[in-house]
Amino acid sequence: MKPAEFYQRDRLWQPPALTPDYKTSVARSPRLAMLSLQGSLSEITGPTFGHNDIDPIDNDLLRNYAKTGDPVGERIIVHGRVLDENGRGVPGTLVEVWQANASGRYRHKKDTYLGALDPNFGGCGRTLTDADGYYFFRTIKPGAYPWRNWVNNWRPAHIHVSVFGTAFSQRLITQMYFEGDPLIAKCPIVATIPDPRAIDQLIAPLDMNAAIPLDCLAYKFDIVLRGRRSTLFENRLEGN
């Protein structure tokens, strides 16, 4: 029996590739209409990573790069579940994050912002979801930083999130924002998203129930993936 195809992307939900107010999209966007190709067997079933590559502290950004002590900044927990579009937890999924430090500086040679580098903070981590699709990270709340889109644009505090499904064609990359940040509404990148409901799903609410007293606050960020077709029609692959 052939494997079922993945759900199609809803292009009305996603921002368009070309959004001139987000200036770098002008050079990055395709000039010709994109082609829709049917997923091949290797794209649907191909492996993505080795489960043995995960270190026990890879999800602890307070410790996984520390040299002489804890990193500087507001300590937080980011946690949630990876769900399919039927609300079921997705187990064994690789979740990766990367972010700026508390001063808004990335540990990258091309980041020239004057914010200070933190010798004890690397800014990246990864973990696998458990049997219920649950994941969590300990980290530092990232700082906002300026960028030359318009004269005085600032990116709101955010964490980049990558999720791998069962194959390479199922990789999702997104950004998580923090509840109450006034810069979200002023960000040209966020403004490219056409549906306000989609923006709301990128904002992690404060979760005091998961906070640790006298230690750290917590933010809850559930990640909803598209599932596989359980019922196929005559113009799709046969099988379930």
Side-chain angles (χ1 to χ4, degrees), residues 34-84:
M34 291 185 289
L35 301 177
S36 295
L37 301 177
Q38 184 171 309
S40 68
L41 186 64
S42 62
E43 290 170 332
I44 296 173
T45 62
T48 52
F49 62 92
H51 287 61
N52 294 330
D53 295 334
I54 306 298
D55 189 272
I57 65 168
D58 276 353
N59 68 333
D60 190 346
L61 281 68
L62 301 181
R63 297 174 54 205
N64 66 14
Y65 195 83
K67 302 295 192 299
T68 60
D70 289 343
V72 175
E74 179 184 336
R75 298 157 62 95
I76 63 171
I77 290 172
V78 174
H79 75 113
R81 296 177 70 204
V82 178
L83 306 166
D84 67 19

Side-chain angles (χ1 to χ4, degrees), residues 92-124:
T93 295
L94 178 66
V95 182
E96 298 175 314
V97 296
W98 62 97
Q99 64 170 93
N101 63 20
S103 70
R105 179 87 177 268
Y106 286 95
R107 186 168 291 281
H108 192 283
K109 62 182 180 181
K110 291 188 177 181
D111 189 340
T112 58
Y113 176 45
L114 53 79
L117 278 175
D118 188 334
N120 294 307
F121 189 72
C124 57

Side-chain angles (χ1 to χ4, degrees), residues 169-187:
S169 61
Q170 278 191 314
R171 189 184 187 196
L172 165 71
I173 300 176
T174 188
Q175 295 184 24
M176 185 204 90
Y177 302 96
F178 294 86
E179 178 184 23
D181 189 338
L183 289 173
I184 296 173
K186 300 180 181 296
C187 179

